[in-house]
Amino acid sequence: MGDASNPDWTSQWQAAARPWLDAWKDFAQGAAAPAAPARPEGFEQWARLFTGAGPQGETIERMVDAAKNQAAFMQSMLGALSAAPGGGTNWAEALRGSLAKPAMFDHPMAQVWRDGGEQARQFLARFMRVPDMPATPAAATDAWGAMFDLPAFGPMREHQERYQRSGRAWLEYRKQLDRYNKLMLDAAQRGFAHFERKLADREQPGRQIESLRALYDLWVDAAEEGYAEVALSPEFRAAYGDLVNAQMRVRAQMQGEVERMSRELGMPTRSEVNSIGQRLQALRREVRADGTAAQLAGEVAALRRQVADLKAAQAAASRATVTQAQRADDEADAAQETVLRKEASPRKRPSPARAERKPAAKTARRDAPASAAGDFASRIGKYAESSLGASRSKPAKKAAATKGTAAAKGKAAARGKAAVTKGKAAPGKRASRRTDKGNA
Amino acid sequence: MMDALRIEPAKAFEEMMTTQRKLAAALDTLRQVEDVDFGVTAKDAIYREDKLVVYRFRGEKKPTARVPILIVYALVNRPYMVDLQDDRSLVKNLLARGEDVYLIDWGYPDGADRWLTLDDYINGYIDRSVDAVARHCGVDRINLLGICQGGAFSLCYAATHGEKLKNLITMVTPVDFHTPENMLSHWVQDMDVDLFVDTLGNVPADLMNQGYLMLKPVRLNQQKYIGLVDILDDKAELENFLRMEKWIFDSPDQAGEAFRQFIKDFYQGNKLVNGGLKIGPNEVHLGDIDMPVLNIFAEQDHLVPPSASRVLGEHVGTDDYTAVAFRGGHIGIYVSGRAQREVPSAIHDWLAARS
């Protein structure tokens, strides 16, 4: 890190940029620009002072990089203009030479690819014991390509085959990186073609470019258009995929070597950590699934209880109807007794209320089997006989039913109903049996 | 071609000098600027699980909406973009309109999260977050607002857990991943994702970011910073720039297995549209989405092209589908002045009509 406490940044900046600015000044005053104008390296030197300076250090670095690129663009313009003061083809050619370079897309990703490749080369060279492994794919293929294809044998054959795979992976990666770079060159050239077209479109008075910034912005638009054409092409898609895959193969080979070395040294390896992580995640899923199953089981049990309660309540309701019918039956029996007595002494008329109940009793009887049909007198006789016997125990049963209802009142409604149902169930069943019996 | 240039040398020199002066002063200013803050609205954590936290935002007044909104953000960036700063906050604007806003913060996955799958994220984390919000509000169903990749997750969730949602809102959400201008999708078609994830494990955030920068390399790596020179004497503008810069590069790594499945099924297989998508035990059919859907997309989106989003209406099963085209980009839809005026009110009015 530079001296961050130094307050005179502006002076240092001006000193760093001085040679480059002087070249511009000379040009502005009408002098021909030098054949190789001072380059803006001063920016970079000066920017190094800020490395790691404060929380905005990264932003500063990016801005300085951008400024450097913009300055390089201006430099190209300056060089082109001075090379061909009369304009025309020479100017365009000079500019093309300066601008139509893949370096314009020298974004950090390309740097990642290159750095990764160089690291891999050094790493593999060390493992493969070929310290002078060439840096370019063509040279490496010439020098070592044959070696990577040699058959392996002897006690070290497995190691040799692994090294050979690593070497081949690296060569393939370098090949794909070259292919990618060629496409970047194509993008830069297309960008320049767009730039020329855009400039041609601005030749009319009123549309001309009057500032360096406007010119720079126009160039950026053109460069992006050229890049997009290439980046969306099938060739780029294939090249990009192959480059990524090739780099991953190199990395995988390197990881394999580190893993092997770690095992020999008794250190935990990436595979082991992965394995533990994978098992842990699977276990967590199982635990969660069990938890979910338990929760579902609880919900099902609760639903079952609710269904049972509902069924019981429904049964109670239907039994209550039967009991009502039975009560009506009983009353009808009593009425019939009265009728029989009236036949002996027909002085009193039945009350309207009782008269109304009669149809209910009849309705209840409609459910009786057809075998119950017979002549009225014998039916009445049999019914009166059985009813007289049954009616003697009714008050006690009704009291039991009432008790059951009262006991249930303080409890939950569903349970209360169940209690009532319980209390009323016996007479109902008996009544039913009795009816059957009576009808038999 | 030379006729297009009317740059006078003296003027050009002056321009260069001005730029250099600004740059020198700017660098000095930048050195003195402290780290910027973000996420302006007060919030309370209502649910935690692993690295995930569900927050409820606190507005200046009590929410009037009865059904809360849960924001599901993408895994690839931090969710504070929806509440970046006082005058650029989707959250704040929704709260001001009476909405009750919750948000899932996914956290920063590390090696322990390497094996999290989309099943874990969608049927696990999102589902439990939805339950937590519903419990917290005492409602049966909530509104889900999915953003970008979070929108794709929300579509999957809505198609398979629709009974828990009242309304679905998607913002800048990719649906058809194979539209011609989708550069990211184009690049990954020939990638061996299995090799990629097996080698890298979790996918490093820096690698993801470099991929995004490659979408427009000159504009995003150079021109943007040249433009910075123009605003360096404006402290508020400079802080806005730095806040955005922080958000862009403050990205989480991607859980390896989830990334593998997302690239394979969504980007390569385009299964959200083509069918055959399975998240855990659940088959995802967009036709099963029968709740009201509001789909907001950005017309100048370079990450999720509008063509990738606007087809949603053709695939969802609901009869109540609304699409809103926003004039702006993928980021502008949250932070631009136009976004502050248009997006929160579009969401609020749409929800109010369905409350």
Side-chain angles (χ1 to χ4, degrees), chain A residues 124-379:
Chain A
L124 294 172
R126 194 171 302 128
F127 268 87
M128 294 163 70
R129 297 176 181 80
V130 281
D132 54 346
M133 189 164 163
T136 61
T141 304
D142 289 346
W144 304 105
M147 188 188 87
F148 297 151
D149 293 328
L150 282 176
F153 51 85
M156 297 297 285
R157 75 170 301 285
E158 293 303 310
H159 295 289
Q160 187 182 338
E161 280 200 339
R162 215 176 43 249
Y163 295 150
Q164 287 173 326
R165 273 199 299 278
S166 297
R168 282 197 297 271
W170 184 81
L171 284 180
E172 175 64 16
Y173 164 72
R174 288 296 315 193
K175 194 174 118 190
Q176 296 305 334
L177 187 58
D178 273 9
R179 186 176 162 207
Y180 175 87
N181 286 338
K182 278 179 189 145
L183 285 169
M184 287 298 98
L185 176 62
D186 182 22
Q189 287 167 343
R190 284 170 187 249
F192 187 77
H194 283 293
F195 188 49
E196 286 179 309
R197 270 197 294 278
K198 283 178 187 294
L199 283 173
D201 288 345
R202 304 291 288 267
E203 285 179 352
Q204 299 91 347
R207 297 200 69 220
Q208 289 159 316
I209 294 164
E210 297 181 352
S211 72
L212 289 171
R213 178 62 185 275
L215 186 63
Y216 172 75
D217 289 344
L218 192 74
W219 172 75
V220 170
D221 289 346
E224 288 293 4
E225 283 177 30
Y227 175 79
E229 284 173 7
V230 170
L232 282 168
S233 68
E235 294 80 13
F236 186 87
R237 166 182 154 166
Y240 187 79
D242 289 345
L243 176 63
V244 172
N245 297 341
Q247 198 193 40
M248 290 306 124
R249 282 189 206 101
V250 172
R251 289 178 76 129
Q253 287 296 126
M254 290 163 67
Q255 285 174 355
E257 292 306 321
V258 171
E259 181 124 354
R260 190 179 58 81
M261 204 163 61
S262 301
R263 268 200 307 273
E264 285 176 5
L265 294 171
M267 292 168 68
T269 65
R270 162 87 181 265
S271 300
E272 287 165 357
V273 173
N274 276 350
S275 182
I276 292 166
Q278 197 168 15
R279 283 181 201 175
L280 185 66
Q281 188 60 30
L283 194 64
R284 279 162 53 92
R285 280 193 206 107
E286 280 174 29
V287 169
R288 280 210 178 278
D290 287 349
T292 309
Q295 192 184 339
L296 284 174
E299 283 177 18
V300 168
L303 284 170
R304 278 183 178 152
R305 278 196 298 276
Q306 283 180 22
V307 169
D309 288 349
L310 284 170
K311 278 182 177 171
Q314 212 170 17
S318 81
R319 277 169 198 143
T321 308
V322 171
T323 308
Q324 264 187 349
Q326 182 59 49
R327 197 174 295 137
D329 233 2
D330 293 344
E331 285 169 358
D333 291 345
Q336 282 162 359
E337 275 181 59
T338 309
V339 169
L340 288 173
R341 281 180 195 135
K342 272 184 184 172
E343 280 176 357
S345 175
R347 263 179 260 166
K348 288 184 182 173
R349 299 171 71 106
S351 72
R354 286 197 175 192
E356 281 171 14
R357 282 188 204 117
K358 274 186 181 174
K362 279 180 184 171
T363 309
R365 281 169 183 277
R366 263 184 222 131
D367 296 335
S371 59
D375 73 280
F376 181 76
S378 67
R379 266 178 61 213

Side-chain angles (χ1 to χ4, degrees), chain A residues 4 9 13 20 46 62 91 109 180 199 203 208-209 212-213 224 227 233 245 255 284-285 288, chain B residues 1-4 6 15-16 20 27-28 31 49-50 120 186 192 199 214 218-219 225 230:
Chain A
W9 300 106
W13 169 260
W20 185 72
W46 180 81
R62 289 188 202 112
W91 182 85
M109 193 64 181
Y180 175 87
L199 283 173
E203 285 179 352
Q208 289 159 316
I209 294 164
L212 289 171
R213 178 62 185 275
E224 288 293 4
Y227 175 79
S233 68
N245 297 341
Q255 285 174 355
R284 279 162 53 92
R285 280 193 206 107
R288 280 210 178 278
Chain B
M1 199 164 65
M2 286 288 282
D3 294 340
R6 284 193 60 193
E15 195 183 340
M16 286 305 298
Q20 297 312 313
L27 289 164
D28 203 19
R31 226 187 87 253
E49 182 184 346
D50 300 336
D120 295 317
H186 186 68
D192 182 344
T199 306
M214 276 185 74
V218 188
R219 208 178 293 290
Y225 297 99
D230 296 335

Side-chain angles (χ1 to χ4, degrees), chain B residues 132-292:
Chain B
V133 171
R135 258 197 319 274
H136 194 259
C137 288
V139 296
D140 292 331
R141 294 183 299 162
I142 69 164
N143 299 323
L144 205 61
L145 196 169
I147 295 175
C148 189
Q149 184 190 28
F153 288 3
S154 299
L155 288 172
C156 296
Y157 185 79
T160 52
H161 300 74
E163 73 282 359
K164 295 186 181 183
L165 302 184
K166 185 165 171 58
N167 298 294
L168 174 67
I169 303 159
T170 52
M171 280 178 74
V172 288
T173 293
V175 179
D176 183 347
F177 285 74
H178 283 183
T179 53
E181 61 275 51
N182 193 331
M183 205 179 269
L184 276 179
S185 174
H186 186 68
W187 292 348
V188 300
Q189 294 305 316
D190 289 347
M191 252 177 67
D192 182 344
V193 185
D194 287 329
L195 175 66
F196 192 77
V197 173
D198 290 346
T199 306
L200 293 176
N202 284 349
V203 180
D206 284 348
L207 198 60
M208 300 288 295
N209 282 335
Q210 301 302 353
Y212 299 139
L213 293 180
M214 276 185 74
L215 293 171
K216 290 185 184 293
V218 188
R219 208 178 293 290
L220 298 178
N221 286 306
Q222 293 185 26
Q223 191 187 33
K224 187 176 81 171
Y225 297 99
I226 295 301
L228 174 61
V229 175
D230 296 335
I231 58 162
L232 281 167
D233 50 355
D234 184 335
K235 188 169 181 288
E237 279 297 308
L238 178 59
E239 284 180 353
N240 289 348
F241 181 93
L242 293 173
R243 228 174 253 115
M244 186 63 69
E245 194 74 347
K246 178 173 179 60
W247 177 80
I248 289 169
F249 294 105
D250 174 23
S251 307
D253 291 348
Q254 297 301 294
E257 289 310 304
F259 181 87
R260 185 201 305 267
Q261 194 182 352
F262 193 68
I263 297 295
K264 272 186 166 180
D265 288 352
F266 290 74
Y267 273 99
Q268 292 181 337
N270 202 19
K271 291 182 179 176
L272 209 49
V273 166
N274 293 340
L277 178 61
K278 214 169 167 194
I279 305 292
N282 304 325
E283 282 188 23
V284 177
H285 302 285
L286 292 181
D288 291 339
I289 296 178
D290 55 4
M291 73 283 301

Side-chain angles (χ1 to χ4, degrees), chain B residues 4-18:
Chain B
L5 303 181
R6 284 193 60 193
I7 305 173
E8 294 169 18
K11 201 177 161 192
F13 178 70
E14 184 52 39
E15 195 183 340
M16 286 305 298
M17 286 301 290
T18 305

